[in-house]
Amino acid sequence: MSVTVYVPRDAGALSLGAEAVARAIASEARRRHVDVRVVRNGSRGLYWLEPLVEVETSIGRVAYGPVQPEDVPALFDADFLHGGKHVLGHGPTADIDYLKRQQRLTFERVGVVDPRSLEDYRAHGGYRGLAAALHMSGEEIVQTVLDSGLRGRGGAAFPAGIKWKTCLEAPSQRKYVVCNADEGDSGTFADRMIMEGDPFVLIEGMTIAGLAVGATQGYIYLRVEYPHAQRALEEAIAIAEAAGLLGDDVGGSGKAFHLEVRMGGGAYICGEETSLLESLEGKRGQVRFKPPLPAIEGLFGKPTVINNVVTLASVPIILDRGAGYYRDYGSGKSRGTLPIQLAGNVKRPGLVEHAFGLSLRELAEGYGGGTASGRPIRAVQVGGPLGAYIPASQLDTPIDYEAFIAMGGMIGHGGVVVFDDTVDMAAQARYAMEFCAIESCGKCTPCRIGSTRGVEVIDRIVAGDARERNEVLLRDLCQTMIAGSLCALGGMAPFPVLSALDHFPEDFTGAADKANA
Amino acid sequence: MKRAIDIAVLPAIPEHIRVAVLEVTGRLKDMPGALLPILHGVQDALGYVPEEAVPLIAREMNLSRADVHGVITFYHHFRQRPAGRRVIHLCRAESCQAMGAVTLEQHVKRRLDIDFHQTTADGAYTLEPVYCLGNCACSPAMMMDGELKGRMTPERFDAWLEAEAP
Ligand SMILES: Cc1cc2nc3c(=O)[nH]c(=O)nc-3n(C[C@H](O)[C@H](O)[C@H](O)COP(=O)(O)O)c2cc1C
Ligand code: SF4
Ligand code: FES
C-alpha cells in the first residue's frame, strides 16, 4: 500500500531546499521499491523546522525536520515511513507544542491540505461557507460578517461588515471585489502562506464577498515579489472555474463571479487601497483623496469592496460556523483570531494564529524561544516599517488593537520582528526615513521631501553635529509629516523614528559626543 | 490598413521590439486597466521595457507617451535597460536586517564589485534591492531570478556563486 509523504511547496520551504528533498524522497523510494506518494502541501508555519516532512501513519501525521536531501537515506533506514525514530523526528505533528497551543481558524487547512486539490479542500470543510451563503440574501451575509466582529487584517482594522454594507447599499450595475495581496510589510508572510497553502479559501471568501455586495468581478492584486503565490492562485482559479465554482453560474446558483490575478509593480505604496486601485486601473500608484470611499466609488469609479487576503480568507469559516463561533475568540473589540507572523532574530520564527490577547512576551519568548543569536531581546517592531519600536521593557503588552493604540503603536498586518541587543536604533530610525523616501508616491510634500530631510538630519545627529538642535528639528519634522501627510506612509513613518529616539536615546549620541565622553 | 499609416508617424523602432510589443498589446490591450499587464508582458518578452517601445505602447493604448513613461518609472519592477543574465534581489527590510542583512549586503556588493542597480562588467549579474520577499521567517533572504533563498550567509552566497560559475 502506498504511503503518503508531505513535502511543502511553500516558497519559504523551497528557499531552504524543499524541492531537492522532495526529489530525494521520490528517488530513494524508487530505489528501495517502496510505494510512496509525495504530496506538496503548504507550510505549517514552523519555519525553523522547514523543510518539514510529514508522513501519514496509523497514528496520524508524523513530522521530521529540518530535512536536507542527504538526510533522506537515513530517514528511510529509520523506517520513517512508519513513523520510526530519527534525530530529526518530532512525533505527531498535531502534538508539537508550537502548533498545539495555537487556535487556527483561518489557517486550519494551511500545511494540511494539497493546495491543488479541490477534493482535499472540500474534505476539510471547504466550500461549506459558500454553500451557506448561496441560501442567504446579500443583507444576511453582510449581517453575519458584521456580527462576527471581523476587522480588516491588512492594517487599518476597519470592520469588514461596515465596508461591505456600504458597498451593498451603493446603487450600481457593476461592482468589484478586490483582494489586497500586496503584503508589503517586513515581517509579514501570512497572506503568502494562505495563497500558496490554501488558495481555495481566498477564492471562496472573495466569491462570498461578491454574493454579499452584488459584485460579479474580482481581482487579486498580487505583489510581483510573489511568483510562487501567482502560480498557486492561477492554478486554483482554473480548477474552481472548471468545477463551476467561479464563472457565470457559481455553484449552479445562476449568479456570476469571475476572478483574475493582477501583478503589481514592486511599489510599497500600492498596498494602500486607493493607490492599489489606481495601479489596477493601469496608472501610477498614487494615493487618492478620500472621500469618496472605495466602497462607493472604487475601481473604475464603481463601488468596490477591498480587503486584505487574511480578512477575505476568514470569511468562509464565519459563514460556515456562524458569526458567534468566530466572535467568541478574542477580547474587547478585537474579535476572532489574528495570524501573527513572528520573524527577525528569533529561535523559532513562524506563523502563530491565536485569539487576540496573547502578550508580546509569550510570543517572542514562549513561541519564539528568545533570540536566534542567544543574546537578550532589545526591541520588537510590530506592524511593519511604519510600526513603532517597542523596548524589551514593554513586552507584556497584550496583542490587541486597543492596547497597541494606547501604547502609540499598531498591530498592522500582525508582523512581529525581534531584534537583539546588537541593533543600532539610530540606524533603524534612519532606515525608516530612507524607506519612506524611496517608497513615497510623491503626492504630498511632507512625505516626499520630509523623509529625505529626515535622513539628513539623523545623519547629522549621529555625526554629533549640533545634536540637540537637530533633534528638535527632527521631532518637528516628524510632527509635520504626521499632521500634513495624506496617507499613513508619510503619516506613520515618524513612529519608528520617534519610538527609537524616545526609548533608545543612547544610540543617537553622535561620534563627537562619544569622543568627548 | 489603419495600422500601416499610423506606424509611419512613429519613430523608427527596431523590428524585434515592434513585433514583441504588438504581440503583447494585441493580446492584452482590451482588458480593463491593461497597462501594467502589458508592461509585464513586454518586460517578460524583452527583459526590459525599451525606450523605443514607449511610443508604440502609447499609441496602442491611446495614451500619451508621458503617461506611459510616468507609469514605467513609478514602479521599481520595470527596467528601462537590459539586466545582466541573472538578477539578484537582496532583501533590505527589517526582519532581514535583524538577521545580518547589512553584512550580507556589503559582502555581496564587494564580491560582485557593484552597487545596487548595477550590472557586473561581464554582464552576468544585476543587483537590486528589495524591501521584503515575504520570507522573513527565513531571514536574511534573497531571490535569484525568481528563485527564493533563505537563511543566506556570505558563505552560502559564495558557494552559490561558485556553483553558478560557467
Ligand atoms: C502605506 C500603506 C501600505 C499598506 N499596505 C498594505 C498591504 O500591503 N496589504 C494590505 O492588505 N493592506 C495594506 N494597507 C492597508 C490598506 O490601505 C487597506 O486598509 C486594506 O487593504 C483594507 O483591507 P482590510 O480592511 O481587509 O484590512 C496599507 C496602507 C497604507 C497606508
Ligand atoms: S503620505 Fe506619501 S505616500 Fe502617502 S499620499 Fe502623501 S506622498 Fe503619497
Ligand atoms: S524582511 Fe527580508 S524577506 Fe521579509
Side-chain angles (χ1 to χ4, degrees):
Chain A
M1 212 187 73
S2 122
V3 181
T4 304
V5 176
Y6 294 86
V7 185
R9 193 186 266 123
D10 171 90
L14 293 178
S15 84
L16 302 172
E19 196 59 42
V21 172
R23 273 201 304 269
I25 290 173
S27 74
E28 189 68 20
R30 267 196 307 276
R31 208 174 64 78
R32 298 184 186 227
H33 305 291
V34 285
D35 190 5
V36 167
R37 184 175 76 105
V38 179
V39 171
R40 307 303 302 274
N41 55 337
S43 173
R44 297 272 194 164
L46 281 56
Y47 278 100
W48 76 100
L49 296 179
E50 290 288 6
L52 180 77
V53 173
E54 288 177 85
V55 184
E56 189 82 63
T57 74
S58 55
I59 56 156
R61 280 157 76 159
V62 176
Y64 298 85
V67 176
Q68 287 301 304
E70 54 272 21
D71 300 321
V72 168
L75 282 170
F76 274 87
D77 289 342
D79 196 25
F80 87 121
L81 290 180
H82 298 95
K85 278 205 172 7
H86 184 273
V87 282
L88 297 177
H90 303 281
T93 317
D95 292 344
I96 297 175
D97 209 33
Y98 197 93
L99 210 51
K100 204 161 117 186
R101 282 186 287 151
Q102 298 193 28
Q103 294 165 316
R104 290 203 168 183
L105 300 183
T106 309
F107 274 75
E108 64 175 340
R109 274 176 301 262
V110 177
V112 176
V113 296
D114 176 354
R116 297 184 181 183
S117 165
L118 187 57
E119 301 87 79
D120 217 4
Y121 181 64
R122 283 204 152 116
H124 287 82
Y127 273 118
R128 286 207 299 246
L130 179 67
L134 283 172
H135 291 104
M136 295 161 80
S137 67
E139 286 79 7
E140 286 168 334
I141 301 173
V142 168
Q143 193 60 44
T144 305
V145 173
L146 265 172
D147 292 343
S148 74
L150 176 65
R151 292 166 71 177
R153 301 289 188 244
F158 190 78
I162 294 183
K163 208 182 259 188
W164 291 24
K165 193 170 180 343
T166 310
C167 187
L168 169 66
E169 287 168 358
S172 176
Q173 289 296 326
R174 192 154 180 79
K175 295 180 186 179
Y176 295 98
V177 175
V178 173
C179 171
N180 187 341
D182 203 57
E183 192 162 69
D185 288 355
S186 167
T188 62
F189 43 85
D191 296 354
R192 182 184 63 67
M193 284 180 64
I194 286 188
M195 293 185 284
E196 293 178 5
D198 193 15
F200 289 114
V201 80
L202 176 58
I203 296 171
E204 185 183 351
M206 290 184 72
T207 310
I208 295 170
L211 291 175
V213 303
T216 51
Q217 176 69 48
Y219 291 102
I220 299 172
Y221 184 89
L222 179 64
R223 66 196 309 245
V224 71
E225 292 86 350
Y226 284 2
H228 302 84
Q230 181 187 9
R231 287 193 285 275
L233 287 171
E234 282 176 347
E235 268 182 61
I237 288 173
I239 293 169
E241 276 171 354
L245 292 160
L246 282 175
D248 290 325
D249 182 19
V250 172
S253 66
K255 294 189 173 133
F257 191 69
H258 300 265
L259 192 53
E260 195 184 317
V261 180
R262 284 287 177 91
M263 300 308 282
Y268 178 78
I269 194 58
C270 289
E272 194 283 333
E273 57 188 16
T274 62
S275 34
L276 187 155
L277 295 175
E278 290 285 299
S279 185
L280 259 181
E281 291 181 6
K283 303 176 197 150
R284 294 162 69 91
Q286 283 191 306
V287 176
R288 293 178 184 170
F289 290 97
K290 284 193 273 192
L293 294 170
I296 293 169
E297 213 179 304
L299 187 64
F300 303 116
K302 302 293 179 206
T304 302
V305 158
I306 172 162
N307 277 124
N308 167 259
V309 174
V310 174
T311 316
L312 289 163
S314 301
V315 167
I317 194 168
I318 293 170
L319 268 293
D320 175 24
R321 302 205 200 157
Y325 178 82
Y326 190 81
R327 189 189 52 229
D328 291 346
Y329 289 86
S331 56
K333 285 187 190 157
S334 306
R335 311 307 317 185
T337 56
L338 179 71
I340 306 164
Q341 300 121 92
L342 182 58
N345 197 335
V346 273
K347 221 175 255 139
R348 295 191 294 263
L351 184 109
V352 178
E353 180 174 355
H354 202 283
F356 285 89
L358 197 71
S359 79
L360 276 174
R361 188 181 306 284
E362 286 169 272
L363 185 70
E365 292 177 357
Y367 283 92
T371 63
S373 60
R375 305 180 64 95
I377 294 177
R378 182 153 185 245
V380 171
Q381 189 182 30
V382 183
L386 313 176
Y389 283 98
I390 296 161
S393 60
Q394 291 180 12
L395 280 182
D396 292 311
T397 312
I399 302 178
D400 75 46
Y401 294 125
E402 276 66 37
F404 265 66
I405 289 167
M407 197 177 57
M410 59 142 187
I411 292 179
H413 187 279
V416 175
V417 177
V418 179
F419 292 82
D420 74 7
D421 63 349
T422 60
V423 65
D424 173 352
M425 293 307 298
Q428 297 310 119
R430 184 189 195 278
Y431 173 83
M433 281 292 189
E434 186 192 2
F435 180 79
C436 183
I438 294 170
E439 298 296 337
S440 170
C441 88
K443 193 153 180 160
C444 39
T445 320
C447 167
R448 187 182 66 241
I449 313 273
S451 49
T452 301
R453 290 280 287 134
V455 173
E456 291 164 10
V457 177
I458 294 171
D459 280 347
R460 275 191 222 126
I461 293 173
V462 172
D465 172 5
R467 184 182 185 283
E468 262 141 60
R469 192 160 51 81
N470 275 315
E471 187 183 324
V472 173
L473 191 64
L474 180 61
R475 287 183 184 275
D476 189 48
L477 186 67
C478 283
Q479 291 312 321
T480 307
M481 289 175 70
I482 291 171
S485 296
L486 179 58
C487 86
L489 180 53
M492 288 181 66
F495 290 177
V497 178
L498 291 172
S499 59
L501 260 179
D502 290 341
H503 298 300
F504 308 94
E506 63 275 20
D507 287 20
F508 291 81
T509 36
D513 300 352
K514 279 176 196 146
N516 292 337
Chain B
M1 289 302 288
K2 178 170 166 283
R3 174 151 301 176
I5 297 163
D6 279 352
I7 293 246
V9 299
L10 285 172
I13 301 168
E15 184 63 11
H16 73 287
I17 294 179
R18 198 179 67 85
V19 169
V21 170
L22 288 178
E23 187 280 320
V24 173
T25 52
R27 196 155 39 84
L28 303 176
K29 73 174 175 185
D30 290 329
M31 66 202 289
L35 189 53
L36 253 70
I38 284 175
L39 295 177
H40 277 295
V42 171
Q43 179 151 310
D44 290 346
L46 298 170
Y48 69 118
V49 185
E51 215 180 296
E52 298 97 318
V54 173
L56 191 52
I57 295 172
R59 192 202 58 180
E60 293 297 300
M61 293 297 296
N62 203 14
L63 293 167
S64 78
R65 291 173 195 184
D67 283 333
V68 177
H69 176 82
V71 171
I72 294 169
T73 51
F74 183 84
Y75 295 97
H76 301 305
H77 178 73
F78 300 122
R79 50 176 71 257
Q80 293 169 279
R81 266 177 299 281
R85 288 189 292 282
R86 305 209 62 171
V87 181
I88 301 174
H89 279 99
L90 201 57
C91 179
R92 293 195 64 209
E94 288 89 343
S95 173
C96 288
Q97 288 172 27
M99 289 299 279
V102 175
T103 311
L104 179 66
E105 176 185 322
Q106 286 161 352
H107 174 85
V108 170
K109 285 179 178 172
R110 204 165 352 132
R111 199 48 226 270
L112 298 177
D113 196 23
I114 48 173
D115 206 336
F116 282 130
H117 309 300
Q118 295 179 349
T119 301
T120 52
D122 61 357
Y125 300 103
T126 296
L127 184 63
E128 299 285 356
V130 62
Y131 298 87
C132 193
L133 291 162
N135 200 25
C136 330
C138 311
S139 293
M142 55 170 71
M143 180 117 85
M144 333 281 200
D145 288 343
E147 196 185 327
L148 195 57
K149 306 260 177 201
R151 291 188 210 136
M152 202 26 98
T153 59
E155 296 72 38
R156 285 191 67 192
F157 179 79
D158 287 348
W160 175 78
L161 215 53
E162 253 110 70
E164 282 283 298

